[in-house]
Amino acid sequence: MNVAAPQSSFLRWVYRFYMLAFLVYLAAPLFAAGMFAFNDSMFPALPWNGFTLDWFFSSTEPKIGMFHDRRLLRGLQNSLIIGVAVSALAVAAGTCNAFLFERKQFPGKNIFYIMMIVPLVIPGVILGISILVFASMIANGLEETFGIEWDFLRPGIFLVILGQFSFLTTITSLVIGARLRKFDIALEEAALNLGATRLRVLMTVTLPYLMPALFSAFVVAFLVSFENFNTTLMLVGSDAPLTITMYDRMVKVGSTPVLNAVSFFLMVGSGLLALLSVVVQRGGNKEA
């Protein structure tokens, strides 16, 4: 019989203090950023001048709220377009990768798996510059040789999607592959023995089981895409996503409470999406 070793009260208090300090360290910057979004001041700093929602909804100078700031809204729209597009592509490719690495055996499988993981450890700036140089080289070569202009290979939304896709596919592959690894393949074999085609088995047996992982992978990819900065900065054109728009505003104008309002909006939205992902994942685990 295993008996847990007694733990001194001093160690328990040290552990509790560490956990409290760690949580405060994580939450304090977020709390400060969110708090100043409601401060009736022109600057995101103390003293507290009163509660206001102007930095969200005001349509008059000098307090233009985020929902009336055309540039911020355009950046939000671009981020949504990029996030949804790249997340859908990453989930589709990640599903294929999951089946490839979990179900198939082929020469060099381990090497290809390592190659799939590599984009996660390459600095985002290096990844962005590499894709930009490669795409520009192709575009310049086509233009000089054949007179063909492929503008989508110039900095813009397409290159941002391509750059983010290169590392988001790794994330979705790992998430979906972990779920597929737990799947009982005997269920597929039973369906095949009953006369179902492979496509029908995939659509009615395997994919429904993977659905929680597919949804979670989409949410994770969307959130990572939405907040990505380093890779996006190297590939962005005139249609800047929200992170680049906020950075540009910070550099040119300085920090204003409207940026805190945007940050608070993103924190709430990200938290709700993450919570929804956890709920869906737990529901899928119970069904399994």
Side-chain angles (χ1 to χ4, degrees), residues 131-272:
I131 294 173
L132 177 62
V133 170
F134 182 70
S136 297
M137 182 179 63
I138 295 176
N140 293 336
L142 290 174
E143 185 176 359
E144 293 173 0
T145 306
F146 303 104
I148 301 175
E149 295 186 4
W150 280 6
D151 291 335
F152 64 88
L153 292 178
R154 305 296 184 184
I157 288 182
F158 178 81
L159 273 192
V160 172
I161 292 175
L162 185 64
Q164 293 185 2
F165 175 79
S166 64
F167 62 88
L168 289 179
T169 301
T170 302
I171 297 175
T172 57
S173 299
L174 296 176
V175 173
I176 299 170
R179 175 78 173 177
L180 182 62
R181 196 175 302 120
K182 300 177 182 178
F183 180 71
D184 186 2
I185 199 171
L187 297 175
E188 290 183 350
E189 295 173 349
L192 290 172
N193 291 335
L194 293 174
T197 62
R198 289 194 176 275
L199 179 60
R200 187 173 180 82
V201 170
L202 177 67
M203 300 301 296
T204 60
V205 178
T206 312
L207 286 184
Y209 176 83
L210 292 177
M211 195 56 65
L214 296 176
F215 180 79
S216 296
F218 183 91
V219 170
V220 171
F222 180 82
L223 293 177
V224 174
S225 167
F226 213 94
E227 60 83 27
N228 182 260
F229 180 80
N230 293 339
T231 303
T232 303
L233 181 63
M234 299 296 106
L235 303 173
V236 72
S238 58
D239 297 324
L242 188 58
T243 51
I244 306 301
T245 303
M246 293 175 67
Y247 172 74
D248 186 64
R249 176 75 61 87
M250 177 78 75
V251 171
K252 293 180 179 179
V253 181
S255 180
T256 62
V258 71
L259 297 182
N260 293 76
V262 175
S263 300
F264 180 80
F265 176 79
L266 294 181
M267 283 188 287
V268 173
S270 301
L272 292 176

Side-chain angles (χ1 to χ4, degrees), residues 12-175:
R12 285 197 299 268
W13 279 107
V14 169
Y15 174 75
R16 292 170 184 172
F17 176 78
Y18 167 78
M19 293 301 300
L20 178 62
F22 181 71
L23 292 175
V24 169
Y25 171 77
L26 292 179
L30 301 178
F31 176 78
M35 179 183 69
F36 288 122
F38 302 96
N39 189 17
D40 190 10
S41 172
M42 295 301 299
F43 303 99
L46 295 173
W48 181 262
N49 294 329
F51 181 86
T52 182
L53 293 176
D54 288 348
W55 296 111
F56 291 91
F57 303 109
S58 176
S59 59
T60 57
E61 293 285 358
K63 296 179 180 179
I64 299 293
M66 63 167 290
F67 294 113
H68 292 277
D69 191 312
R70 293 183 179 179
R71 199 161 172 223
L72 288 176
L73 290 177
R74 194 181 308 118
L76 177 61
Q77 181 183 15
N78 291 335
S79 289
L80 289 173
I81 293 172
I82 293 170
V84 171
V86 74
S87 299
L89 292 173
V91 168
T95 303
C96 296
N97 289 343
F99 278 97
L100 177 66
F101 288 108
E102 296 298 330
R103 295 286 184 85
K104 301 297 181 181
Q105 296 294 333
F106 52 90
K109 177 180 177 179
N110 292 333
I111 296 176
F112 284 111
Y113 188 84
I114 293 174
M115 291 176 63
M116 183 187 73
I117 301 296
V118 164
L120 285 182
V121 298
I122 296 179
V125 173
I126 303 300
L127 192 63
I129 292 176
S130 301
I131 294 173
L132 177 62
V133 170
F134 182 70
S136 297
M137 182 179 63
I138 295 176
N140 293 336
L142 290 174
E143 185 176 359
E144 293 173 0
T145 306
F146 303 104
I148 301 175
E149 295 186 4
W150 280 6
D151 291 335
F152 64 88
L153 292 178
R154 305 296 184 184
I157 288 182
F158 178 81
L159 273 192
V160 172
I161 292 175
L162 185 64
Q164 293 185 2
F165 175 79
S166 64
F167 62 88
L168 289 179
T169 301
T170 302
I171 297 175
T172 57
S173 299
L174 296 176
V175 173

